[in-house]
């Protein structure tokens, strides 16, 4: 008998994040990880600093104040909220609690790289479903459901596509899937979309839908690791059983609560992003680069082929700009570009125009 990990673990390919360092550039323009170009709310920073006085004390285990703040701001039921170290942790609880050896976990073709990792870590089998022209295809998801399916991870708006399916389509999917399947709506970019609640109402009217949200994107707290989930009480009760009691620190809880209460800052980030992502897409189209309309805080720039995308990536790097190659997401010919602030957007477009010989 030798020491071996559980089945499935060695099939996991390590997650590769967006690069943050660039040789020869001390502070590159980082447009590779969908981070908030305006940083975190200053109230969140103040709350974080204030929390230093409590570092010797264990944090609360029930996250009651943060859940109450989230419930108040979003008009939700605090009893159905669970908080995690990033929404990644909530996504992990779902796989851990509901999928195991012999079970299947559905994710879509261009979905988040974490989904197959979480499925395998739970011993389950990830099942990839094709999208249609970079848009989630709910019929294809339904067709892929079997006796063994336990979870469906669906990102809406999608990453790295930026496309979104209407809430009515999500509702039809929730109604049509087999009784033993949970539909997980990963809402990392919901705040950037127009008129979409992330599926909160679907959660409240059904027993098989869970929504996850994050403080990493619009709230600019990716470095602090805070996310949350909203689901039926029975499911949240299950997830809480595997959650470590002290999974969030006093600092995380304090900063997150201040961030979500700073609705003025959130609105500023949302409206600037909405304005600049349209500008960015229009400029890409002017340069002859294909780009779908985005509902998120990034655009997917599709070049003629992989070679051109790689060439543009290299040209941007030479100018101290980092964007994301997305070959691992099924787009070798594309670059995902986070919507920066106004100066950042202008700088990346100038650099791409030079690469295209148009400037
Ligand atoms: C960024 C992102 C998340 C957020 O992850 P955190 O763990 O909350 O930082 C979740 N899902 C998708 C698709 C993302 O792009």
């Amino acid at each position: 008998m030798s020491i071996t990990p559980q089945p499935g673990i060695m099939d996991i390919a390590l997650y590769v994040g967006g690069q943050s360092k660039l040789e020869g550039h001390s502070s590159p323009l980082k447009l590779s990880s969908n981070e908030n170009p305006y940083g975190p709310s200053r109230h969140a920073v103040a709350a974080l600093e204030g929390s230093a006085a409590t570092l010797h004390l264990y944090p609360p285990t029930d996250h009651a104040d943060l859940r109450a703040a989230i419930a108040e701001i979003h008009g939700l039921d605090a009893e159905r909220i669970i908080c995690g170290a990033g929404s990644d942790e909530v996504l992990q609880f779902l796989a851990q609690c509901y999928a195991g050896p012999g079970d299947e976990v559905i994710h879509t073709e261009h979905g988040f790289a974490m989904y197959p990792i979480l499925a395998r870590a739970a011993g389950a089998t990830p099942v990839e479903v094709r999208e249609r022209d970079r848009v989630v295809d709910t019929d294809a998801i339904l067709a892929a459901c079997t006796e063994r399916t336990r979870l469906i991870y669906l990102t809406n708006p999608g990453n790295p596509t930026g496309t979104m399916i209407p809430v009515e389509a999500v509702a039809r999917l929730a109604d049509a899937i087999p009784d033993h399947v949970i539909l997980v709506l990963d809402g990392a970019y919901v705040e950037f979309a127009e008129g979409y609640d992330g599926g909160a109402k679907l959660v409240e009217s059904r027993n098989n839908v869970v929504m996850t949200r994050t403080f990493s994107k619009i709230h600019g707290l990716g470095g602090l690791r805070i996310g949350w989930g909203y689901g039926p009480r029975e499911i949240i009760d299950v997830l809480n059983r595997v959650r470590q009691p002290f999974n969030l620190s006093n600092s995380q809880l304090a900063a997150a609560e201040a961030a979500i209460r700073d609705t003025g800052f959130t609105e500023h980030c949302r409206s600037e992003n909405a304005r600049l992502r349209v500008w960015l897409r229009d400029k890409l189209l002017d340069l002859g680069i294909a780009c779908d309309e985005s509902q998120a805080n990034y655009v997917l720039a599709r070049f003629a082929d992989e070679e051109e995308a790689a060439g543009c990536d290299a040209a941007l790097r030479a100018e101290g700009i980092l964007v994301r190659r997305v070959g691992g997401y099924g787009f070798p010919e594309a670059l995902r570009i986070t919507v920066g602030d106004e100066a950042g957007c202008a700088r990346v477009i100038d650099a791409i125009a030079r690469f295209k010989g148009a400037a």
Side-chain angles (χ1 to χ4, degrees), residues 8 20 35 42 68 105 139 157 182 191 195 204 218 254 268 293 316 318:
S20 56
E35 291 150 335
R42 64 194 164 83
V105 174
D139 290 337
I182 300 175
E191 294 85 352
E204 289 174 351
I218 200 155
H268 170 73
E293 204 175 309
L316 294 177

Side-chain angles (χ1 to χ4, degrees), residues 86-88 91 112 115 155 159 186 188-189 214 216-217 225-226:
S87 53
D88 281 1
L91 295 167
F112 192 28
Y115 306 146
T155 327
N159 174 17
D186 181 337
Y189 303 99
T214 183
S216 301
K217 306 289 160 51
R225 317 302 308 128
I226 316 144

Side-chain angles (χ1 to χ4, degrees), residues 19 68 139 199 257 301:
Q19 255 185 313
D139 290 337
E257 187 181 341

